[in-house]
Amino acid sequence: MKRDLVFEIGVEEIPSAPLYDAIAQLKSLATSTLGEYSLAFEDVRTYGSPRRLVLAVDGLAAKQKDRTTRHKGPAAKAAFGSDGAPTPAAAGFARSKGLDVSALEVGRDENGGEYVYAVVEQTGRETGEVLPEMLSRLAQALDWPKSMRWGSGETRFSRPVRWLLALYGHEVVDVEFAGLRAGRVTHGHRFLAPGPIDVPTAEEYPTAVGRGLVQYDHEARARTLRESIDAAARKMDATAVVHDKTFAEVVNLVEYPTVGVGRFDEEFLSVPREVLVTAMESHQRYFPLEARGGELLNAFVVAHNGDPARTDEIVAGHERVIRARLADAAFFYREDLSSSLEEYVGKLDGIVFQEKLGSLGAKVRRVEELARKIAEISEVGPEAGAAAVRAAHLCKADLVSHVVVEFPALQGVMGREYALASGESERVADAIFEHYMPRYAGDAVPPSQAGRVLSAADKLDTICGIFAIGMAPTGSADPYALRRSALGVLSIQIDGELAIGLDAAISAALEGYQDALEGLDSQQTGRAVKEFVVGRLEGVLRDRGHAYDTVSAVLAVADDDPSDAISRCAALTPFRSREEIADLSVAFTRARNLSVPQLGTECDAAIMGTEEAALADALAEAEERAVVSLDAGDYRAALGVLAGLRGPIDAFFDSVLVMDEDEVLRNNRLRLLNRFVALFERFADFSRLAG
């Protein structure tokens, strides 16, 4: 008869992010482990709150399934002597499987070799017998980013384990973990219902925990919290500013969420909105309130884990805390405004960017020069170029401001504020803010041309510098986030339409290190950087739905311009569904294998036969039409032109002996193939297509 299972690990408060990960881990581990133990079930669910991690299995079978397993043993010739008698090898193998040697079978493996096999019949055990071992394994298998030991025990867990509950139907599962033995007792809310709670059956677990004023279901807790925040905001005729990261963290800071509305002095609203929001969110986990027009109010929503009846007192305590926080922020902001942003630039020479690459001030000077070069190469226009260069000069200055030292997340944000306060143009101020974009995968590229130029310059300087000192990313180690920077540069080139090739951009960036790094091999470093960036570009193209061989074929001839590579892939991917693509790929590969590039492409029409002349005429027409399409970026049309060469090239290979004994004829035919290959390679390397 099926029964439900519940397994609860009671702990001291687990940090929010590791708790989410543990909930997901536990579900995956439980699902796979139940399969490993041959236990049938209807559903597996996992939950978590700050003080508990819960596994619930619905409809768990009463016993394991019976299993028949066939184990491969030694080769037959080693298992039996010439007289057919079993050898010690056979006897030992049979004994290891709990069988008599006479029960061994001889059979062939997938390669045709003869081996002995042991067929073991296993009768399924009762589920109650299996669960103690299985649940203990699950608890031990959880992987925490940081774990600890406590007391005299050796068990490692995110936080000390205080109780275990394990019920299979009405029966207690005798699980041991962390020096504790499971029972049927859970514990309620630490403050609201701190005593032990008896749980009669697994099915009654939700009701029993509910009596303890605990919402152990994190998703239900999130819904309750969100509804409470929205309701509190509506009473203020306002909207709560709820960022996903802050909200997710707060969900796992409470077991029974209650919200209240706090207020702070209106005078603090003179401080930039971003400073106030950051102070409330990152330090205190509050949710700021804004009016219908979007302006920030001097109010916030706070979620707490205490007695709902004491919400007013709890909120008053939070108001005292935020008042002090905002007073500090306002003081720092006013202090920063007492100096111009330009005055902060000089302080950057005293801050190390990277030990071997010098100060942050040196980086700024390199980025300033690189922004000038990128603006010139990409032809963004004199106004945008000048703004990018000026913004480059100022872009890191806010890092030494009081506000950013206190709130590092506001770098760039305060740079824009202080630039405007110092009299810089909006174009320059916006570029300072935008040069950190895109900050992560999926983030927007800088909206302005000046911002795109500066962002690319800053990221390329970092990538090239770190590669130049031999600290390129290895495996999963990427301490300088170069992969993210490379993806940012590609996004700016592709989605931001910044017209600069990778070769030119990388070369310009490495020029900034010539004097700073003695013995720098710019060519070797440049190749390594490009290979790294193109590796990211390959991932971008595949993420956009293009097959690996399509990407490989295109990047073989168009790896310098990411936007161009995107366009070529977009044309080639649908073209591959047409019949002629396979024949063209084979013909191209054959032609390129025979071609001798050093012979050139100039052919003598006077010594050509009929099929050679037909191919030459078709090539002449195709070259004229394809070049126009390729130069215009009309790659679909260009592919159509190339497809038209299928007939002439097939006829050529069917009737012409390329490697003729006559050297003059042979070389003339090879030059014709060189010409064919050269035309195709203006689009892609078709030999890389799998078919």
Side-chain angles (χ1 to χ4, degrees), residues 380-583:
V380 296
E383 291 185 357
V389 173
R390 177 59 181 167
H393 177 70
L394 300 169
C395 68
K396 305 297 182 184
D398 66 338
L399 295 180
V400 294
S401 68
H402 293 88
V403 169
V404 173
V405 169
E406 179 71 12
F407 304 112
L410 292 178
Q411 54 188 288
V413 173
M414 299 314 299
R416 177 171 57 186
E417 291 286 339
Y418 296 149
L420 291 172
S422 299
E424 301 290 341
S425 69
E426 285 192 16
R427 193 190 294 260
V428 169
D430 287 342
I432 292 172
F433 169 74
E434 293 170 8
H435 91 278
Y436 289 105
M437 300 169 68
R439 301 172 186 83
Y440 48 84
D443 190 20
V445 299
S448 71
Q449 286 185 317
R452 292 193 285 270
V453 168
L454 178 53
S455 178
D458 181 42
K459 291 171 174 60
L460 281 167
D461 175 79
T462 299
I463 295 170
C464 289
I466 300 302
F467 266 80
I469 59 175
M471 296 183 67
T474 56
S476 60
D478 187 10
Y480 294 95
L482 299 192
R483 293 185 179 91
R484 185 175 63 197
S485 293
L487 288 171
V489 172
L490 291 171
S491 294
I492 291 167
Q493 290 177 292
I494 296 169
D495 302 320
E497 300 180 352
L498 184 66
I500 179 171
L502 289 176
D503 289 328
I506 292 168
S507 176
L510 286 170
E511 285 178 15
Y513 287 100
Q514 287 293 349
D515 295 333
L517 295 175
E518 185 178 349
L520 172 63
D521 187 337
S522 294
Q523 290 189 337
Q524 181 179 344
T525 302
R527 285 193 296 270
V529 171
K530 185 175 181 182
E531 181 181 352
F532 173 74
V533 177
V534 171
R536 311 284 80 71
L537 175 57
E538 181 179 351
V540 170
L541 292 170
R542 293 183 66 174
D543 287 344
R544 296 191 180 203
H546 302 295
Y548 76 95
D549 52 342
T550 295
V551 173
S552 177
V554 167
L555 291 183
V557 300
D559 66 353
D560 188 52
D561 186 341
S563 293
D564 186 53
I566 287 277
S567 299
R568 289 172 188 252
C569 285
L572 183 55
T573 292
F575 182 79
R576 293 189 62 181
S577 64
R578 296 171 56 173
E579 285 184 10
E580 59 263 40
I581 187 63
D583 292 336

Side-chain angles (χ1 to χ4, degrees), residues 363-376 389 392 457 508 511-512:
K363 176 178 173 63
V364 164
R365 289 186 285 274
R366 287 194 305 271
V367 171
E368 191 174 348
E369 182 58 28
L370 181 54
R372 180 179 290 107
K373 292 175 181 176
I374 290 178
E376 292 172 357
V389 173
E511 285 178 15

